[in-house]
Amino acid sequence: MNVTHGPHGYLNRILRVNLTEQTIKVEELDKGFIRKYLGGRSLALYYLLKETKPNIDPFSEANLLIFATGALTGNAGPAIPRYTVVTKSPLTGGLGASEAGGFWGPELKFAGYDALIIEGVAKRPVYIWIKDDSVEIKDAENVWGLGSCEAQEKIKDEVGDKRARVAIIGPGGEKLVRFANIGNELGHYNGRNGLGAVMGSKNLKAIAVRGSKKLKAFDEPKLKEIAKEFAKTFKENNLGYTLFEYGTTATVEALTGFGALPTNNWETGVFEGAENLFADVYNEKLLTGRKGCYACPVRCKRVVTVKDEKYKVNSKYGGPEYETIGAMGPNMGIDDLNIIAKANELANHYGLDTISLGMTISFATKCFEEGLISVEDTGGLELKFGDGDALLAAIELIAKREGFGDIMAEGSHIMAKRLGKGTEKYTITVKGQEAPMHDPRTKVGVGLAYATTDIGTDHMVAPHDGFLTDAESWSFKNAEKLGVTDPSGLFDLTETKVKNFAILNRYYRMFDTIGCCCFGFAPRGPMEVDTFLEMINAITGWETDFDELLKAGERSLVLSRIYNYREGFTAADDNLPQIFYKDMTDGPYKGKLAIDKDKFRELIRSFYENLNWDKDTGYPKKEALESLGLGEFA
Amino acid sequence: MIEIKLFGSLKKYVCGEKRVELAPDDAKCVNDVLLILQITKGEVGQILINGTPVNSSRAFNDSITNDDVVDLYPISAGG
């Protein structure tokens, strides 16, 4: 056991870089700050609330871009590599936040910092080079305009360190595409909400970091024991086995069973070519390797090679995951994995979120097929479901904001407002962000997630309903240790559904703050929650429990709600796209499963009450703020 | 015979096969299928009998007979 004083697993240090003033500062966090907020999304929200004024333009100098690791990030345990990027989103106008794994977060901590706050706007393109205590703002003229891979390699050459880790934007971020992302090591993305566009607006191409410090866990032998055992056994658990063997691609098959594979901009959930996208086909046709994140043995990331010369890809960009397969595949009427792999590569080269990208192009395609726009609007581009070349051409236009790509680069929500002509009915967004590839009619908890999440539709805010349907299942038994008491059916619109969601929403938000990947830990991942808690305590020495940790997750939910309401959101924004209040159009549930709008509204009110928020306004009550130690934000 | 079709990770219960057949005398309801193939209930997300979703909620006591086709799908997990 480590008996040294001071924090274990984290550092209590923040780096602040002002691009306008070209200044660099290091600040110490108060003792107890990380234990209260855990880091990640909460740490960043704390500063975003304190240091930005309401109603600023996301692309203005006044916006902050905050990179924040969690208390566990970078320690030598499985599935704890993650960090958050937070800002005001140019896609939604509310909170912009998205987590990524990979290697950049751990490296920032090895350099001695829990978080990095970027202020201001550089006069010319720059990148930041952090090597332990040395921090430089460097000229990026040589790499501005380059794709992520080429730019990353040049930056590593320039700083003279091949092992530097680079968080980077592609040309899409430079062009302020409202769903541009930030990547690290070409396979890990802070994908959603247009964070890359904010980075582009600051003329910041990349942040390269290299650290030499070793993080000190409170109980190193215990941490090693847990990590070793996990590496040895995780594949014995079906969830671990599936993530290693298939990544997330087996979801195609799972949703096919429900007739819930979003197809042709969600016109139906039944896709004729679905079998061509099944996980075994993917492994046989594309898969050439597996990649993972820092210190994690699960290796759920894919490496692919495309044999068809026409769609050949740079394997360094990794292979498509389920969301990308869904958004660029069935959602665009495409059943050719080669085309999907190419679309994935282009998105990563240009630095674009594949969900919003696929959904925006499918929206445009639907409008085209319905005759609401024509080749005169698109500059000659004929958009058709099933046409892979049209999809790839549309990606190029968006990334460069050329021609019709300029309006598509705004995302489907803003695009529909500009187009008018009744096109809005074909958008599937909440708070301006496009839906991921899961139909909430077949898992109502995902509907609660879509409606209430402050960043707009998000499928990663609680384990999906299937993990909580059987009282005797391994996942459910783990969830019981977090406070879940009763199973809930997939389609249930009940108080139990709300209660389970509210507990696990806190739990997943805790992941987003402390630096965890949900693929590592029960109910969704292979490590049991008891072992997970042991690992947290081995790293931090906090002797904490899930009561404290879930409260920290709740604190984060409250902070993001305060931020969004400050920016003008209300309870009316916690809603679902109209399509989900209608019956399924095809498949085994044809004519069924419409979510009852009134009952669903009651569930949302019940969710507010569960969190001690006002059931009508959805705003946290004063007592809630005080009980969470957030009185200063009242 | 009853044809059982397995999808996604559930194939591992039958050595990677996509289809197996069971005798009607051995498998009279869905629960029998799960027991014979040693599939944990919590890993099954959706079951169709001849293309129709089972009605038993999670009891899996739906009857099956000769020539039925039972599709077993894994949980749709997200991510």
Side-chain angles (χ1 to χ4, degrees), chain A residues 283-362:
Chain A
N283 282 6
E284 196 181 316
K285 191 170 181 178
L286 294 181
L287 191 73
T288 50
R290 293 174 171 85
K291 287 199 295 187
C293 297
Y294 175 78
C296 184
V298 176
R299 301 180 75 74
C300 64
K301 298 281 180 183
R302 312 287 93 179
V303 180
V304 300
T305 304
V306 174
K307 294 183 188 90
D308 183 341
E309 277 298 316
K310 186 179 176 188
Y311 301 115
K312 199 171 176 183
V313 300
N314 176 353
S315 293
K316 289 180 181 172
Y317 282 116
E321 299 177 17
Y322 167 68
E323 299 302 328
T324 307
I325 296 170
M328 307 288 197
N331 182 50
M332 279 301 301
I334 288 168
D335 67 352
D336 184 341
L337 280 168
N338 291 338
I339 295 170
I340 295 167
K342 187 66 188 175
N344 178 68
E345 182 221 43
L346 284 179
N348 294 346
H349 169 83
Y350 287 118
L352 302 172
D353 170 37
T354 55
I355 297 174
S356 285
L357 178 63
M359 285 289 289
T360 297
I361 298 172
S362 71

Side-chain angles (χ1 to χ4, degrees), chain A residues 443-469:
Chain A
K443 32 187 176 182
V444 169
V446 172
L448 287 168
Y450 281 5
T452 61
T453 306
D454 293 313
I455 67 159
T457 45
D458 186 353
H459 60 295
M460 300 296 279
V461 303
H464 289 197
D465 305 52
F467 292 105
L468 303 171
T469 52

Side-chain angles (χ1 to χ4, degrees), chain A residues 3-320:
Chain A
V3 292
T4 57
H5 296 292
H8 296 286
Y10 55 97
L11 305 140
N12 277 342
R13 288 176 91 230
I14 285 183
L15 179 64
R16 190 184 286 268
V17 176
N18 186 307
L19 295 173
T20 306
E21 306 294 332
Q22 304 269 297
T23 56
I24 293 151
K25 278 198 301 187
V26 176
E27 297 168 11
E28 299 286 328
L29 288 167
D30 290 342
K31 193 181 169 194
F33 183 94
I34 293 283
R35 181 153 185 176
K36 178 176 178 180
Y37 291 102
L38 303 181
R41 201 183 284 202
S42 282
L43 182 156
L45 265 161
Y46 177 89
Y47 284 95
L48 194 72
L49 278 163
K50 291 272 185 188
E51 298 184 5
T52 62
K53 291 187 174 145
N55 303 314
I56 58 170
D57 178 347
F59 292 145
S60 71
E61 189 178 7
N63 199 7
L64 296 178
L65 185 67
I66 305 171
F67 293 70
T69 67
L72 306 185
T73 309
N75 287 276
I80 47 174
R82 288 172 80 82
Y83 67 101
T84 300
V85 179
V86 163
T87 188
K88 179 170 182 176
S89 167
L91 187 68
T92 69
L95 173 67
S98 190
E99 283 71 32
F103 299 85
W104 191 90
E107 202 69 32
L108 185 70
K109 285 183 75 170
F110 304 154
Y113 312 100
D114 294 300
L116 166 65
I117 300 175
I118 310 282
E119 303 171 339
V121 173
K123 288 188 181 65
R124 287 184 303 278
V126 296
Y127 68 90
I128 298 170
W129 167 224
I130 303 165
K131 188 168 186 184
D132 292 323
D133 295 333
S134 164
V135 181
E136 295 175 71
I137 301 170
K138 295 175 76 83
D139 191 327
E141 293 290 353
N142 283 344
V143 291
W144 197 256
L146 297 182
S148 304
C149 182
E150 196 180 351
Q152 177 179 289
E153 286 175 4
K154 273 194 181 233
I155 288 170
K156 288 187 182 189
D157 282 346
E158 237 178 72
V159 301
D161 194 335
K162 283 282 178 199
R163 297 184 66 187
R165 302 299 188 179
V166 184
I168 199 161
I169 60 168
E174 296 170 17
K175 293 283 187 185
L176 309 186
V177 175
R178 286 184 190 270
F179 45 85
N181 63 22
I182 301 170
N184 81 83
E185 299 304 300
L186 309 178
H188 311 274
Y189 296 93
N190 304 95
R192 308 230 68 195
N193 278 175
L195 311 173
V198 174
M199 193 154 150
S201 76
K202 295 188 175 299
N203 275 327
L204 179 60
K205 178 71 177 178
I207 304 155
V209 59
R210 183 83 166 100
S212 62
K213 299 175 182 70
K214 190 177 181 311
L215 295 171
K216 291 177 190 161
F218 177 75
D219 188 345
E220 289 282 355
K222 182 71 181 171
L223 178 60
K224 275 186 188 160
E225 179 194 319
I226 291 169
K228 199 173 163 189
E229 181 64 15
F230 182 86
K232 205 168 85 181
T233 62
F234 81 91
K235 277 191 261 182
E236 292 169 13
N237 178 294
N238 189 52
L239 298 168
Y241 162 81
T242 305
L243 284 166
F244 175 81
E245 183 61 29
Y246 299 122
T248 57
T249 64
T251 307
V252 175
E253 284 166 77
L255 294 180
T256 298
F258 288 92
L261 195 59
T263 300
N264 295 356
N265 198 50
W266 295 70
E267 186 178 283
T268 172
V270 177
F271 183 51
E272 276 189 14
E275 287 192 16
N276 297 328
L277 308 176
F278 279 6
D280 287 327
V281 179
Y282 184 115
N283 282 6
E284 196 181 316
K285 191 170 181 178
L286 294 181
L287 191 73
T288 50
R290 293 174 171 85
K291 287 199 295 187
C293 297
Y294 175 78
C296 184
V298 176
R299 301 180 75 74
C300 64
K301 298 281 180 183
R302 312 287 93 179
V303 180
V304 300
T305 304
V306 174
K307 294 183 188 90
D308 183 341
E309 277 298 316
K310 186 179 176 188
Y311 301 115
K312 199 171 176 183
V313 300
N314 176 353
S315 293
K316 289 180 181 172
Y317 282 116

Side-chain angles (χ1 to χ4, degrees), chain A residues 542-584:
Chain A
W542 286 343
E543 295 184 18
T544 186
D545 54 31
F546 281 119
D547 283 344
E548 182 184 357
L549 293 167
L550 293 186
K551 194 169 179 179
E554 184 175 336
R555 191 172 288 123
S556 187
L557 291 170
V558 167
L559 287 174
S560 56
R561 185 132 291 238
I562 292 170
Y563 182 80
N564 261 15
Y565 275 52
R566 193 187 85 167
E567 300 303 318
F569 286 85
T570 68
D573 295 298
D574 290 340
N575 205 346
L576 286 176
Q578 293 304 309
I579 187 175
F580 302 128
Y581 297 122
K582 296 174 185 164
D583 284 325
M584 305 286 279

Side-chain angles (χ1 to χ4, degrees), chain A residues 236 238 241-242 246 248 250-251 253-258 278 280 322-323 438 443 459-460 464 466-467 469-470 472-473 490 519 524 588-589, chain B residues 6-13 16 18 40-48 51-55 57-58 60 73-79:
Chain A
E236 292 169 13
N238 189 52
Y241 162 81
T242 305
Y246 299 122
T248 57
T251 307
E253 284 166 77
L255 294 180
T256 298
F258 288 92
F278 279 6
D280 287 327
Y322 167 68
E323 299 302 328
H438 301 269
K443 32 187 176 182
H459 60 295
M460 300 296 279
H464 289 197
F467 292 105
T469 52
D470 294 276
E472 71 271 29
S473 75
L490 298 172
F519 291 170
R524 170 69 180 92
Y589 293 99
Chain B
L6 299 108
F7 294 87
S9 58
L10 297 181
K11 291 194 287 284
K12 77 170 187 173
Y13 287 99
K18 293 176 183 171
T40 311
K41 285 180 185 174
E43 291 179 17
V44 181
Q46 163 78 332
I47 298 173
L48 305 178
T52 302
V54 300
N55 292 319
S57 182
R58 303 297 292 183
F60 302 114
Y73 292 90
I75 292 172
S76 64

Side-chain angles (χ1 to χ4, degrees), chain A residues 322-524:
Chain A
Y322 167 68
E323 299 302 328
T324 307
I325 296 170
M328 307 288 197
N331 182 50
M332 279 301 301
I334 288 168
D335 67 352
D336 184 341
L337 280 168
N338 291 338
I339 295 170
I340 295 167
K342 187 66 188 175
N344 178 68
E345 182 221 43
L346 284 179
N348 294 346
H349 169 83
Y350 287 118
L352 302 172
D353 170 37
T354 55
I355 297 174
S356 285
L357 178 63
M359 285 289 289
T360 297
I361 298 172
S362 71
F363 162 73
T365 304
K366 182 69 181 169
C367 292
F368 192 94
E369 291 206 343
E370 293 293 328
L372 296 169
I373 55 174
S374 68
V375 286
E376 285 175 17
D377 300 295
T378 65
L381 180 65
E382 292 199 26
L383 290 162
K384 275 190 301 190
F385 289 117
D387 185 340
D389 292 338
L391 167 68
L392 301 180
I395 295 172
E396 296 277 356
L397 291 177
I398 289 169
K400 296 167 187 166
R401 276 192 181 267
E402 283 178 2
F404 187 61
D406 192 43
I407 190 170
M408 287 196 284
E410 299 291 290
S412 61
H413 178 73
I414 295 173
M415 187 180 167
K417 281 191 188 309
R418 291 203 188 152
L419 287 175
K421 297 189 270 187
T423 55
E424 276 187 13
K425 69 181 172 192
Y426 298 123
T427 62
I428 301 158
T429 60
V430 176
K431 302 182 180 76
Q433 176 160 266
E434 292 80 8
M437 298 294 111
H438 301 269
D439 193 323
R441 287 171 292 191
T442 62
K443 32 187 176 182
V444 169
V446 172
L448 287 168
Y450 281 5
T452 61
T453 306
D454 293 313
I455 67 159
T457 45
D458 186 353
H459 60 295
M460 300 296 279
V461 303
H464 289 197
D465 305 52
F467 292 105
L468 303 171
T469 52
D470 294 276
E472 71 271 29
S473 75
W474 181 87
S475 291
F476 186 84
K477 285 184 186 305
N478 273 281
E480 279 182 311
K481 293 173 184 171
L482 303 170
V484 169
T485 54
D486 297 297
S488 173
L490 298 172
F491 318 132
D492 291 356
L493 289 154
T494 60
E495 286 299 318
T496 301
K497 178 70 74 181
V498 174
K499 185 190 160 199
N500 293 353
F501 174 73
I503 291 168
L504 293 164
N505 191 200
R506 289 173 173 95
Y507 181 61
Y508 264 40
R509 184 57 79 88
M510 180 268 286
F511 285 180
D512 290 343
T513 55
I514 207 168
C516 289
C517 172
C518 69
F519 291 170
F521 311 101
R524 170 69 180 92

